[in-house]
Amino acid sequence: MSKEAIVVGAGLVGSLWAVFLARRGYQVKVFERRPDMRAVGYRGGKSINLAMSERGWKAVEKAGIREEIEKVAIPMPGRMIHNADGQLSFQAYGKEGEAIYSVSRGGLNMELLHIASGFPNVEFFFDYQCLGADLDAPKITFENTKTGQIETFESPLIFATDGAFSAVRYSLQKTDRFNYRQYYLDHGYKELTIPPTADGKHRMDPGALHIWPRGNFMLIALPNADGSFTCTLFLPFEGPVSYESIRNDADILAFFEKHFPDAVAFIPDLIHDFNHNPTSSLVTVNCKPWQWQGRILLLGDAAHAIVPFYGQGMNAGFEDCTILDGMLDEHGEDWARVIPAFAARRVQDGNAIAELAQRNFIEMRDLVADPMFLLRKKIAADLHAKFPGEFLPVYSMVTFSNTPYHIALREDDAQNQLFKDILNVPDVSENWNSPAVEAVFKNWLKQRNG
Ligand SMILES: Cc1cc2nc3c(=O)[nH]c(=O)nc-3n(C[C@H](O)[C@H](O)[C@H](O)COP(=O)(O)OP(=O)(O)OC[C@H]3O[C@@H](n4cnc5c(N)ncnc54)[C@H](O)[C@@H]3O)c2cc1C
């Protein structure tokens, strides 16, 4: 087989996967429907921030580009909770020295494009919108959105990294026994900006992911290197407190002053941003199989779009690259064997992180301000310190380890049962590190280990 490949979609996962293929000596053609963001800027300069964690770092390390990415990442060792009464409380995400990292999606994408285009065997085609695939050939058809011309390209290998609404996946959806499910949350998100101070400093602690949990909705803010924060409001589309219920400028101000008074002072363009920035929806996509005849493969959001509440969408897509490249190391570039094996092995992890991300929404928007939740976190940290080989909190397993997501999901179910029993120990708030709690833990461990 000739060493040629097509990548559809030059987002985060497509650009990174192009680097992996280039390092293996493939002639790679990458097609992207948007113009080159390095020339025109990222979506008019607006940047979502993403939290990058262990799985993301492992992938960029395997691709040999960790150092470049470290330059654009800001460590966030914990969450800063902005309580309704104005009190602030800091909750560490993991052990001393562990952190998640704030990266600008646009900035990271541009860096990856820059790195990938440094390889002489990678060629980018911008303004090329994929219209679909002729799966058996395999051929792929694009519209050049500048000229309106339709062009078809053939390749022995096609990787679809064209995101949650993948056109390649749409071609697969029409084939027999292809399973597909998409599910929209009732909540939408809107981005707002906290600009830096006049002397370029952050207005809040940059060493944290800031959260204003308010039950059924929340505001979050992640730091940027230029001193600004990117905020995201997650709010139901409809209902008593919703985007629909905020009808005019006075409603916007009243809503923020009531629920996020300390943030209002920091968002000078609140009314303008609220009115002009889009309200975007949040979708989960599960599908199977992710491949066609060992020659076409879905990766990243095209295979497993998830809601953002575990901060894992990009991390999961990057982990796809690590695992696929690792399987090539192990079995050689026998794609006809590796692609189906990868797809069969990895789909359970895509489904598991989708489920964990939905569960974590409740934790973020509501429970982080709940005393029983905080007690659970305290007991979990204590158990981990006392029994490091036997107990790792699920958040740490997902964020700071490379344990397969399907095992983390199983562990989440098991730990939920454990904490149900522990929180029933009499006077557990005072006795949180007592022998009685330890006895419940040991009993749970015994049952699990059979
Ligand atoms: C609000 C929000 C917060 C998030 N926070 C986090 C976080 O903290 N941590 C984390 O890990 N993840 C997070 N994510 C998820 C993360 O953004 C995605 O998982 C990640 O961007 C997926 O990368 P991708 O390359 O698979 O898809 P995308 O980034 O969507 O890239 C797809 C690319 O394909 C192109 N394309 C689409 N259709 C076509 C076509 N027909 N033809 C040609 N090109 C096409 C697109 O223009 C785009 O460039 C968040 C997402 C959202 C919405």
Side-chain angles (χ1 to χ4, degrees), residues 24-35:
R24 288 187 171 274
Y26 281 78
Q27 288 295 329
V28 190
K29 288 189 168 74
V30 188
F31 294 88
E32 166 59 45
R33 82 172 163 197
R34 295 204 180 107

PDB file of all heavy atoms in Angstrom, residues 24-35:
ATOM      1  N   ARG A  24       5.480   9.213  10.591  1.00  0.00           N
ATOM      2  CA  ARG A  24       5.598   7.843  10.063  1.00  0.00           C
ATOM      3  C   ARG A  24       5.942   7.853   8.568  1.00  0.00           C
ATOM      4  O   ARG A  24       5.987   6.815   7.926  1.00  0.00           O
ATOM      5  CB  ARG A  24       4.289   7.076  10.267  1.00  0.00           C
ATOM      6  CG  ARG A  24       4.037   6.704  11.702  1.00  0.00           C
ATOM      7  CD  ARG A  24       2.840   5.808  11.883  1.00  0.00           C
ATOM      8  NE  ARG A  24       2.817   5.330  13.258  1.00  0.00           N
ATOM      9  CZ  ARG A  24       3.481   4.254  13.702  1.00  0.00           C
ATOM     10  NH1 ARG A  24       4.170   3.523  12.852  1.00  0.00           N
ATOM     11  NH2 ARG A  24       3.450   3.918  14.965  1.00  0.00           N
ATOM     12  N   GLY A  25       6.098   9.041   8.000  1.00  0.00           N
ATOM     13  CA  GLY A  25       6.532   9.125   6.597  1.00  0.00           C
ATOM     14  C   GLY A  25       5.399   9.115   5.580  1.00  0.00           C
ATOM     15  O   GLY A  25       5.641   8.921   4.389  1.00  0.00           O
ATOM     16  N   TYR A  26       4.155   9.325   6.034  1.00  0.00           N
ATOM     17  CA  TYR A  26       3.030   9.346   5.080  1.00  0.00           C
ATOM     18  C   TYR A  26       2.945  10.681   4.352  1.00  0.00           C
ATOM     19  O   TYR A  26       3.292  11.724   4.915  1.00  0.00           O
ATOM     20  CB  TYR A  26       1.703   9.071   5.825  1.00  0.00           C
ATOM     21  CG  TYR A  26       1.541   7.607   6.100  1.00  0.00           C
ATOM     22  CD1 TYR A  26       2.246   7.009   7.144  1.00  0.00           C
ATOM     23  CD2 TYR A  26       0.762   6.806   5.281  1.00  0.00           C
ATOM     24  CE1 TYR A  26       2.152   5.651   7.370  1.00  0.00           C
ATOM     25  CE2 TYR A  26       0.669   5.440   5.502  1.00  0.00           C
ATOM     26  CZ  TYR A  26       1.368   4.874   6.555  1.00  0.00           C
ATOM     27  OH  TYR A  26       1.278   3.520   6.763  1.00  0.00           O
ATOM     28  N   GLN A  27       2.493  10.635   3.102  1.00  0.00           N
ATOM     29  CA  GLN A  27       2.137  11.847   2.353  1.00  0.00           C
ATOM     30  C   GLN A  27       0.713  12.181   2.790  1.00  0.00           C
ATOM     31  O   GLN A  27      -0.206  11.405   2.501  1.00  0.00           O
ATOM     32  CB  GLN A  27       2.152  11.584   0.842  1.00  0.00           C
ATOM     33  CG  GLN A  27       3.535  11.404   0.239  1.00  0.00           C
ATOM     34  CD  GLN A  27       4.367  12.681   0.344  1.00  0.00           C
ATOM     35  OE1 GLN A  27       3.833  13.786   0.309  1.00  0.00           O
ATOM     36  NE2 GLN A  27       5.678  12.531   0.496  1.00  0.00           N
ATOM     37  N   VAL A  28       0.535  13.272   3.512  1.00  0.00           N
ATOM     38  CA  VAL A  28      -0.771  13.541   4.125  1.00  0.00           C
ATOM     39  C   VAL A  28      -1.412  14.759   3.466  1.00  0.00           C
ATOM     40  O   VAL A  28      -0.786  15.828   3.358  1.00  0.00           O
ATOM     41  CB  VAL A  28      -0.612  13.831   5.639  1.00  0.00           C
ATOM     42  CG1 VAL A  28      -1.979  13.873   6.314  1.00  0.00           C
ATOM     43  CG2 VAL A  28       0.277  12.799   6.314  1.00  0.00           C
ATOM     44  N   LYS A  29      -2.669  14.593   3.050  1.00  0.00           N
ATOM     45  CA  LYS A  29      -3.450  15.740   2.556  1.00  0.00           C
ATOM     46  C   LYS A  29      -4.506  16.031   3.613  1.00  0.00           C
ATOM     47  O   LYS A  29      -5.312  15.134   3.947  1.00  0.00           O
ATOM     48  CB  LYS A  29      -4.150  15.401   1.241  1.00  0.00           C
ATOM     49  CG  LYS A  29      -3.216  15.308   0.052  1.00  0.00           C
ATOM     50  CD  LYS A  29      -4.057  15.190  -1.230  1.00  0.00           C
ATOM     51  CE  LYS A  29      -3.235  15.379  -2.485  1.00  0.00           C
ATOM     52  NZ  LYS A  29      -2.370  14.263  -2.817  1.00  0.00           N
ATOM     53  N   VAL A  30      -4.511  17.257   4.141  1.00  0.00           N
ATOM     54  CA  VAL A  30      -5.484  17.622   5.177  1.00  0.00           C
ATOM     55  C   VAL A  30      -6.462  18.633   4.587  1.00  0.00           C
ATOM     56  O   VAL A  30      -6.036  19.687   4.085  1.00  0.00           O
ATOM     57  CB  VAL A  30      -4.792  18.250   6.417  1.00  0.00           C
ATOM     58  CG1 VAL A  30      -5.806  18.445   7.545  1.00  0.00           C
ATOM     59  CG2 VAL A  30      -3.613  17.410   6.893  1.00  0.00           C
ATOM     60  N   PHE A  31      -7.755  18.322   4.646  1.00  0.00           N
ATOM     61  CA  PHE A  31      -8.792  19.203   4.074  1.00  0.00           C
ATOM     62  C   PHE A  31      -9.584  19.856   5.208  1.00  0.00           C
ATOM     63  O   PHE A  31     -10.016  19.176   6.131  1.00  0.00           O
ATOM     64  CB  PHE A  31      -9.746  18.389   3.194  1.00  0.00           C
ATOM     65  CG  PHE A  31      -9.077  17.846   1.975  1.00  0.00           C
ATOM     66  CD1 PHE A  31      -8.426  16.615   2.012  1.00  0.00           C
ATOM     67  CD2 PHE A  31      -9.069  18.569   0.789  1.00  0.00           C
ATOM     68  CE1 PHE A  31      -7.796  16.105   0.887  1.00  0.00           C
ATOM     69  CE2 PHE A  31      -8.438  18.067  -0.343  1.00  0.00           C
ATOM     70  CZ  PHE A  31      -7.803  16.835  -0.295  1.00  0.00           C
ATOM     71  N   GLU A  32      -9.800  21.154   5.098  1.00  0.00           N
ATOM     72  CA  GLU A  32     -10.512  21.895   6.152  1.00  0.00           C
ATOM     73  C   GLU A  32     -11.504  22.848   5.490  1.00  0.00           C
ATOM     74  O   GLU A  32     -11.145  23.580   4.577  1.00  0.00           O
ATOM     75  CB  GLU A  32      -9.478  22.656   7.011  1.00  0.00           C
ATOM     76  CG  GLU A  32     -10.044  23.722   7.923  1.00  0.00           C
ATOM     77  CD  GLU A  32     -11.072  23.209   8.933  1.00  0.00           C
ATOM     78  OE1 GLU A  32     -10.848  22.168   9.567  1.00  0.00           O
ATOM     79  OE2 GLU A  32     -12.136  23.865   9.067  1.00  0.00           O
ATOM     80  N   ARG A  33     -12.735  22.828   6.028  1.00  0.00           N
ATOM     81  CA  ARG A  33     -13.769  23.657   5.361  1.00  0.00           C
ATOM     82  C   ARG A  33     -13.574  25.157   5.622  1.00  0.00           C
ATOM     83  O   ARG A  33     -13.979  25.985   4.832  1.00  0.00           O
ATOM     84  CB  ARG A  33     -15.160  23.197   5.790  1.00  0.00           C
ATOM     85  CG  ARG A  33     -15.590  23.742   7.081  1.00  0.00           C
ATOM     86  CD  ARG A  33     -17.006  23.489   7.459  1.00  0.00           C
ATOM     87  NE  ARG A  33     -17.062  23.750   8.893  1.00  0.00           N
ATOM     88  CZ  ARG A  33     -18.004  23.359   9.691  1.00  0.00           C
ATOM     89  NH1 ARG A  33     -19.008  22.674   9.220  1.00  0.00           N
ATOM     90  NH2 ARG A  33     -17.962  23.650  10.966  1.00  0.00           N
ATOM     91  N   ARG A  34     -12.929  25.493   6.738  1.00  0.00           N
ATOM     92  CA  ARG A  34     -12.732  26.912   7.043  1.00  0.00           C
ATOM     93  C   ARG A  34     -11.485  27.442   6.351  1.00  0.00           C
ATOM     94  O   ARG A  34     -10.619  26.672   5.947  1.00  0.00           O
ATOM     95  CB  ARG A  34     -12.551  27.097   8.550  1.00  0.00           C
ATOM     96  CG  ARG A  34     -13.783  26.742   9.348  1.00  0.00           C
ATOM     97  CD  ARG A  34     -13.741  27.482  10.691  1.00  0.00           C
ATOM     98  NE  ARG A  34     -14.916  27.147  11.474  1.00  0.00           N
ATOM     99  CZ  ARG A  34     -14.915  26.354  12.540  1.00  0.00           C
ATOM    100  NH1 ARG A  34     -13.790  25.817  12.971  1.00  0.00           N
ATOM    101  NH2 ARG A  34     -16.020  26.107  13.175  1.00  0.00           N
ATOM    102  N   PRO A  35     -11.356  28.785   6.284  1.00  0.00           N
ATOM    103  CA  PRO A  35     -10.081  29.334   5.807  1.00  0.00           C
ATOM    104  C   PRO A  35      -8.971  29.043   6.824  1.00  0.00           C
ATOM    105  O   PRO A  35      -9.272  28.639   7.946  1.00  0.00           O
ATOM    106  CB  PRO A  35     -10.341  30.843   5.724  1.00  0.00           C
ATOM    107  CG  PRO A  35     -11.740  31.068   6.139  1.00  0.00           C
ATOM    108  CD  PRO A  35     -12.340  29.807   6.609  1.00  0.00           C
TER     109      PRO A  35
END
